[in-house]
Coordinates of all heavy atoms in Angstrom, one line a residue:
R111 N -1.3 14.0 9.6 CA -2.3 15.1 9.5 C -3.7 14.6 9.4 O -3.9 13.3 9.4 CB -2.0 15.9 8.2 CG -0.8 16.8 8.3 CD -0.6 17.4 6.9 NE 0.5 18.4 6.8 CZ 0.9 18.8 5.7 NH1 0.4 18.4 4.5 NH2 1.9 19.7 5.7
M116 N 1.7 11.2 6.9 CA 2.7 11.8 7.7 C 2.7 13.4 7.7 O 2.6 13.9 6.6 CB 4.1 11.3 7.3 CG 5.3 11.9 8.0 SD 6.8 11.2 7.3 CE 6.9 9.7 8.2
D117 N 2.8 14.0 8.8 CA 2.9 15.4 8.9 C 4.3 15.8 8.8 O 5.2 15.5 9.6 CB 2.3 15.8 10.3 CG 2.4 17.4 10.5 OD1 3.1 18.0 9.8 OD2 1.6 17.8 11.4
P118 N 4.7 16.5 7.7 CA 6.1 16.8 7.4 C 6.8 17.5 8.6 O 7.9 17.2 8.9 CB 6.1 17.6 6.2 CG 4.8 17.3 5.5 CD 3.8 17.0 6.6
A119 N 6.0 18.4 9.2 CA 6.6 19.2 10.4 C 7.0 18.2 11.5 O 8.0 18.4 12.2 CB 5.7 20.3 10.8
A121 N 7.7 15.1 11.2 CA 8.8 14.2 10.8 C 10.1 15.0 11.0 O 11.1 14.5 11.5 CB 8.6 13.8 9.3
A122 N 10.1 16.3 10.5 CA 11.3 17.1 10.7 C 11.7 17.2 12.1 O 12.9 17.1 12.5 CB 11.1 18.5 10.1
I132 N 13.7 8.2 6.3 CA 12.3 8.5 6.6 C 11.5 7.7 5.7 O 11.6 7.7 4.5 CB 12.0 10.0 6.4 CG1 12.8 10.9 7.3 CG2 10.5 10.3 6.6 CD1 12.6 12.4 7.1
V134 N 8.0 7.1 4.2 CA 6.6 7.7 4.1 C 5.7 6.6 3.6 O 6.1 5.8 2.8 CB 6.6 8.9 3.1 CG1 7.6 10.0 3.5 CG2 6.9 8.5 1.7
C142 N 1.4 11.3 -0.1 CA 1.8 12.2 0.9 C 2.2 13.6 0.4 O 2.3 13.8 -0.8 CB 3.1 11.7 1.7 SG 2.8 10.2 2.6
D143 N 2.4 14.5 1.2 CA 2.9 15.9 0.9 C 4.3 15.8 0.5 O 5.2 16.1 1.3 CB 2.6 16.8 2.0 CG 3.0 18.3 1.7 OD1 3.6 18.5 0.6 OD2 2.7 19.1 2.5
M144 N 4.6 15.3 -0.7 CA 6.0 15.0 -1.1 C 6.9 16.2 -1.3 O 8.1 16.1 -1.1 CB 6.0 14.1 -2.3 CG 5.4 12.7 -2.1 SD 5.9 11.8 -0.6 CE 7.7 11.6 -1.0
E145 N 6.3 17.3 -1.7 CA 7.1 18.5 -1.8 C 7.7 18.9 -0.5 O 8.9 19.1 -0.4 CB 6.3 19.7 -2.4 CG 5.7 19.5 -3.8 CD 4.5 18.5 -3.8 OE1 3.8 18.4 -2.8 OE2 4.3 17.9 -4.9
A146 N 6.9 18.9 0.5 CA 7.4 19.3 1.9 C 8.4 18.2 2.4 O 9.5 18.5 2.9 CB 6.3 19.4 2.9
L147 N 8.1 17.0 2.2 CA 9.0 15.9 2.7 C 10.3 15.8 1.9 O 11.3 15.6 2.5 CB 8.2 14.5 2.6 CG 7.1 14.4 3.6 CD1 6.1 13.3 3.2 CD2 7.7 14.1 5.0
E148 N 10.2 16.1 0.6 CA 11.5 16.2 -0.2 C 12.4 17.3 0.3 O 13.6 17.2 0.3 CB 11.2 16.3 -1.7 CG 10.8 14.9 -2.2 CD 10.6 14.9 -3.7 OE1 10.0 15.9 -4.3 OE2 10.9 13.9 -4.4
A149 N 11.7 18.4 0.6 CA 12.5 19.6 1.1 C 13.2 19.2 2.4 O 14.4 19.6 2.6 CB 11.6 20.8 1.3
I150 N 12.5 18.5 3.3 CA 13.1 18.1 4.6 C 14.3 17.2 4.4 O 15.3 17.3 5.0 CB 12.0 17.5 5.5 CG1 11.0 18.5 5.9 CG2 12.6 16.7 6.7 CD1 9.7 18.0 6.4
S151 N 14.1 16.2 3.4 CA 15.1 15.3 3.1 C 16.3 16.0 2.6 O 17.5 15.7 3.0 CB 14.6 14.3 2.1 OG 15.6 13.5 1.6
K152 N 16.1 16.9 1.7 CA 17.2 17.7 1.1 C 18.0 18.4 2.1 O 19.2 18.4 2.1 CB 16.7 18.6 0.0 CG 17.7 19.0 -1.0 CD 17.0 19.6 -2.2 CE 18.1 20.2 -3.1 NZ 17.5 21.3 -4.0
K153 N 17.3 19.1 3.0 CA 17.9 19.9 4.0 C 18.7 19.1 5.0 O 19.8 19.5 5.4 CB 16.8 20.8 4.7 CG 17.3 21.9 5.6 CD 16.2 22.9 6.0 CE 16.8 23.7 7.1 NZ 15.8 23.8 8.2
L158 N 14.6 9.6 1.7 CA 13.2 9.2 1.8 C 13.1 7.8 1.2 O 13.7 7.5 0.2 CB 12.3 10.1 1.0 CG 12.1 11.6 1.5 CD1 11.2 12.3 0.5 CD2 11.6 11.6 2.9
R170 N 1.0 12.8 -8.4 CA 1.0 14.1 -7.8 C 1.9 15.0 -8.6 O 3.1 14.7 -8.8 CB 1.5 14.0 -6.4 CG 1.4 15.3 -5.6 CD 1.8 15.0 -4.1 NE 2.0 16.3 -3.4 CZ 1.1 16.7 -2.5 NH1 0.1 16.0 -2.2 NH2 1.3 17.9 -1.9
N171 N 1.4 16.1 -9.1 CA 2.1 17.0 -10.0 C 2.9 16.3 -11.1 O 4.1 16.6 -11.3 CB 3.1 17.9 -9.1 CG 2.3 18.7 -8.1 OD1 1.2 19.2 -8.4 ND2 2.9 19.0 -7.0
F178 N 9.3 9.0 -6.1 CA 9.8 10.1 -5.2 C 11.0 9.7 -4.3 O 12.0 10.5 -4.2 CB 8.7 10.5 -4.2 CG 7.5 11.2 -5.0 CD1 6.4 10.5 -5.4 CD2 7.5 12.6 -5.2 CE1 5.4 11.1 -6.1 CE2 6.5 13.2 -5.9 CZ 5.4 12.5 -6.3

Side-chain angles (χ1 to χ4, degrees):
R111 285 178 176 167
M116 178 183 275
D117 182 339
I132 298 173
V134 304
C142 292
D143 183 350
M144 294 313 295
E145 295 76 26
L147 288 159
E148 283 184 321
I150 291 161
S151 168
K152 202 164 169 203
K153 191 165 165 229
L158 293 181
R170 188 177 168 105
N171 296 328
F178 294 92

